[in-house]
Amino acid sequence: YFTSKENIRISYDKNIQKDNYSVGDIIFVLSEEINAEEEFELHISVEKVVTIKANPCGCRGVLYGANMFLKYVREYGRNNLPEMAIKSCPATKERTVMLDCARKYFTPEWIKNFIRMISWMGYNSLELHFTEEQGIRMNIWDSDFFKSANGNDFSWICGSKSARWVENCPDPDAGKFFNAAEIVEILKTAEKYCIEIIPAFDMPGHSNYLTYTYRKHVSTLGADDEIFRYHGNVYTLSGCYENGTARFINNGGREYT
């Protein structure tokens, strides 16, 4: 299954002809009869013809229907699939996994594999926690990928260091962070598997690394405690807390008094 284009037929016609179907065919039907974007119907006939019906407005119903079918293939084997008719839709709209990639560095390839896994499990969003006391692991300030509205370049804040309470267990990935190209690859993988990425930033708490790095630059550049210049731009500590935009952003405002 899914190894030959000849075995996959996509139709926008609700009245498709069934005379040409044969054993092992998989038919994807995009139909407005399916109301929700993530809803699907899976039918396996006595003749082993598989039909997956989903809403035409998105790809999630198709993905979930195909995943359900493949799970049954794993359970029964491709030649022993029982006749069935399933209609399914997730009970909750948002099904999110949170990954802390600020305290612990994960490679981009690991995260892409993680996206594939949670998509298979039925999740639809991944919260990537990028900032913590131990570091800031995301550098989006690359003009080849992202444009800053005011021309600011905050790449100097990216990196990591061991937490202040850690004595005998240094960070094995100290200083590592994602560059813009790696973030784009992660986003492309997430889009392919219908996973929405929610960036998460802690502020104003859990910001020791940010303030540590800021003070380090102030000292190095000989500026006063409130301002310093980097690549021709002026930066203040409060300005470092500005974020980009996404449909959802989690600003972890805990531990703030």
Side-chain angles (χ1 to χ4, degrees):
Y1 290 104
F2 300 135
T3 58
S4 171
K5 291 184 178 179
E6 283 120 5
N7 285 347
I8 301 177
R9 307 183 187 186
I10 300 177
S11 173
Y12 291 89
D13 185 359
K14 291 184 290 186
N15 301 311
I16 51 180
Q17 300 297 319
K18 300 182 179 181
D19 299 338
N20 297 325
Y21 295 170
S22 60
V23 174
D25 275 353
I26 302 172
I27 300 95
F28 292 93
V29 181
L30 304 181
S31 171
E32 293 181 356
E33 293 177 356
I34 305 299
N35 297 320
E37 179 186 355
E38 296 187 319
E39 183 180 350
F40 69 88
E41 292 182 6
L42 171 63
H43 299 270
I44 301 179
S45 70
V46 176
E47 297 81 11
K48 306 302 183 189
V49 175
V50 180
T51 303
I52 298 171
K53 184 183 291 187
N55 189 284
C57 294
C59 64
R60 290 187 176 185
V62 173
L63 175 67
Y64 298 153
N67 282 348
M68 180 66 74
F69 165 69
L70 290 174
K71 289 172 184 177
Y72 276 105
V73 171
R74 285 188 173 188
E75 178 71 20
Y76 293 98
R78 60 184 300 168
N79 297 318
N80 299 303
L81 289 169
E83 181 183 5
M84 67 177 67
I86 298 173
K87 184 174 183 179
S88 180
C89 186
T92 55
K93 184 176 182 180
E94 182 180 312
R95 304 174 303 283
T96 304
V97 179
M98 184 271 208
L99 181 67
D100 189 342
C101 46
R103 290 183 174 94
K104 169 72 174 70
Y105 176 78
F106 298 91
T107 66
E109 195 59 38
W110 191 98
I111 293 180
K112 288 189 286 186
N113 286 332
F114 189 66
I115 287 171
R116 298 181 184 103
M117 182 182 72
I118 65 173
S119 175
W120 173 258
M121 296 171 66
Y123 291 93
N124 62 3
S125 56
L126 172 62
E127 181 178 306
L128 293 179
H129 186 60
F130 284 115
T131 69
E132 256 301 334
E133 293 207 295
Q134 291 92 325
I136 297 175
R137 303 273 193 176
M138 178 180 68
N139 178 15
I140 64 170
W141 294 278
D142 185 332
S143 59
D144 290 338
F145 296 94
F146 302 101
K147 301 290 185 181
S148 172
N150 52 17
N152 283 337
D153 176 3
F154 285 98
S155 58
W156 54 269
I157 67 176
C158 299
S160 69
K161 70 182 186 71
S162 297
R164 63 182 184 276
W165 61 85
V166 175
E167 296 181 359
N168 299 317
C169 184
D171 181 1
D173 299 304
K176 291 184 179 180
F177 54 85
F178 305 116
N179 60 41
E182 291 169 333
I183 295 169
V184 168
E185 285 301 311
I186 291 171
L187 293 175
K188 287 181 178 179
T189 301
E191 182 180 21
K192 179 179 179 181
Y193 288 90
C194 298
I195 296 293
E196 181 167 16
I197 298 297
I198 302 174
F201 306 90
D202 268 353
M203 63 179 70
H206 290 227
S207 299
N208 279 3
Y209 180 79
L210 173 59
T211 55
Y212 161 81
T213 305
Y214 174 79
R215 299 302 179 193
K216 181 179 178 182
H217 276 273
V218 168
S219 174
T220 301
L221 297 175
D224 58 37
D225 288 340
E226 300 299 329
I227 190 172
F228 78 92
R229 297 181 181 275
Y230 180 76
H231 286 182
N233 292 323
V234 176
Y235 295 89
T236 64
L237 189 56
S238 60
C240 297
Y241 287 102
E242 295 177 1
N243 291 311
T245 58
R247 197 168 79 93
F248 293 109
I249 294 178
N250 183 351
N251 289 332
R254 63 187 182 278
E255 301 178 16
Y256 174 59
T257 57

